[in-house]
Amino acid sequence: MRRDMFLKSLAAMAAAGVLPVSAQTAHALKMMIPANPGGGWDTTGRALGKAMQDAGVASSVSYDNKGGAAGAIGLAQFVNASKGDPNALMVMGAVMLGGIITGKPPVGLDKVTPLARLTSEYNVFVLPANSPFKTMKDVIDQLKKDPGSVKWGGGSRGSTEHIAAAMIAREVGVDPAKINYVAFRGGGEATAAILGGNVTVGGSGYSEFAEYISAGKMRPVGVTSGTRLKGVNVPTLKEQGINVEIGNWRGVYGAPGISGEQRKVLIDALAKTFKHKAWQDAMEKNGWTPAWMAGDEFANFVDAEFASMRATMAKSGMI
């Protein structure tokens, strides 16, 4: 093949996004974050974008926050605005599955392209620093007396902390349908409500509350892990006689309608980023557990997780 023809072919393949990462120039990526600023998805998306630039697989990354309905609003916008775009990414996770189960939005994850799971994280329940309660036992005792008087604050309906609250109620003999759960559109709103004492107890991924716990502004009373988190002196719910364990994972989807080759390019870029020091440092800083899974394996995991979560929520009286 003549050199000029080869170069033209190479340029055409690059424009179509079908070259391997090693042969492509880094692209300007667009990151949909289907949540308000300040929460777990926002932190994950922005840390991922920075790491992708540091890893050399993105020349730039722009961010679009669109919160509400456990990510369903951002998901719908992503589907409608990004069809066939090989440079569009969306952060998502277990919370979105719960929101889809409870909210039944018109647009589901079947419309977008599964790429990879990145991290896993357990939830922590905290009390405002000035709370009259001191332990999870105090919260449970009040819950048994008057379920409606205990305000559980956290993410959208169907979030892992919402499911955990319902599971806790069921485990201690309280009708899960009677819990008073206050859903917030983003981690920033939930944090403000807890700091202001506007909820009785709040739940979220440990990384979102870590700085406030360290500063003494929140009192941690239980984590949803099977064993104590490394370097975190907070008892598990199981240690306290409450048989509840639930984790929160986060991943990335691509736009609808991209080709198999374009999907592979994005997965390869994410894999390279996952191994890069910038992303490894971000996981350590935020207390995220590495949970790499990609391609069809990730797609099958999401399907199984959806079915399992639906069963748990039905058993807990949430749907």
Side-chain angles (χ1 to χ4, degrees):
M1 181 183 294
R2 286 170 46 190
R3 184 174 181 276
D4 59 339
M5 290 180 65
F6 172 76
L7 292 175
K8 286 180 181 179
S9 298
L10 197 64
M13 291 174 71
V18 297
L19 292 178
V21 171
S22 60
Q24 277 192 319
T25 55
H27 289 293
L29 298 179
K30 291 167 281 188
M31 184 88 67
M32 164 57 72
I33 301 174
N36 289 344
W41 281 350
D42 187 56
T43 303
T44 300
R46 292 175 189 277
L48 177 63
K50 180 183 181 302
M52 292 185 81
Q53 289 177 270
D54 289 347
V57 299
S59 59
S60 64
V61 182
S62 60
Y63 306 93
D64 186 7
N65 286 83
K66 185 64 64 175
I73 293 175
L75 170 61
Q77 179 173 309
F78 184 70
V79 168
N80 293 327
S82 303
K83 290 178 182 176
D85 187 346
N87 298 319
L89 299 173
M90 179 187 71
V91 178
M92 53 75 67
V95 172
M96 185 174 283
L97 271 60
I100 290 172
I101 292 168
T102 58
K104 301 180 178 64
V107 177
L109 285 170
D110 59 313
K111 303 298 183 184
V112 284
T113 306
L115 299 176
R117 185 183 69 181
L118 300 175
T119 63
S120 181
E121 184 177 26
Y122 288 100
N123 291 107
V124 61
F125 283 104
V126 299
L127 303 174
N130 61 354
S131 172
F133 302 131
K134 305 301 179 187
T135 65
M136 180 59 83
K137 182 180 183 302
D138 293 339
V139 175
I140 297 303
D141 288 345
Q142 182 62 30
L143 183 70
K144 289 179 177 179
K145 291 178 188 175
D146 182 4
S149 68
V150 177
K151 290 184 179 179
W152 301 81
S156 305
R157 282 184 53 80
S159 63
T160 49
E161 56 267 29
H162 185 191
I163 296 171
M167 292 171 71
I168 290 170
R170 180 167 56 84
E171 285 295 319
V172 302
V174 174
D175 182 356
K178 293 183 178 179
I179 66 169
N180 183 3
Y181 185 80
V182 183
F184 295 95
R185 285 165 56 92
E189 291 181 10
T191 297
I194 297 163
L195 294 175
N198 297 319
V199 295
T200 310
V201 56
S204 188
Y206 190 87
S207 63
E208 291 186 45
F209 291 161
E211 65 177 290
Y212 303 102
I213 292 171
S214 297
K217 296 179 178 180
M218 294 180 182
R219 182 183 301 119
V221 293
V223 292
T224 63
S225 52
T227 58
R228 290 202 182 196
L229 301 178
K230 182 180 178 181
V232 177
N233 188 29
V234 181
T236 67
L237 294 174
K238 286 188 171 182
E239 278 183 65
Q240 301 177 72
I242 305 167
N243 188 28
V244 170
E245 179 180 346
I246 183 171
N248 184 15
W249 54 268
R250 297 188 181 114
V252 185
Y253 268 60
I258 60 174
S259 69
E261 286 295 330
Q262 289 169 335
R263 181 192 189 201
K264 182 181 184 301
V265 167
L266 288 173
I267 291 174
D268 288 348
L270 289 168
K272 183 177 180 180
T273 301
F274 189 85
K275 297 172 185 175
H276 194 274
K277 184 178 185 300
W279 180 249
Q280 295 294 319
D281 289 347
M283 286 195 292
E284 182 175 353
K285 174 186 174 183
N286 290 289
W288 297 332
T289 300
W292 176 259
M293 182 184 289
D296 291 344
E297 184 184 10
F298 175 52
N300 293 334
F301 164 80
V302 172
D303 289 343
E305 188 80 349
F306 190 90
S308 174
M309 189 176 290
R310 185 178 181 83
T312 298
M313 293 169 76
K315 190 176 181 181
S316 298
M318 294 176 62
I319 56 173

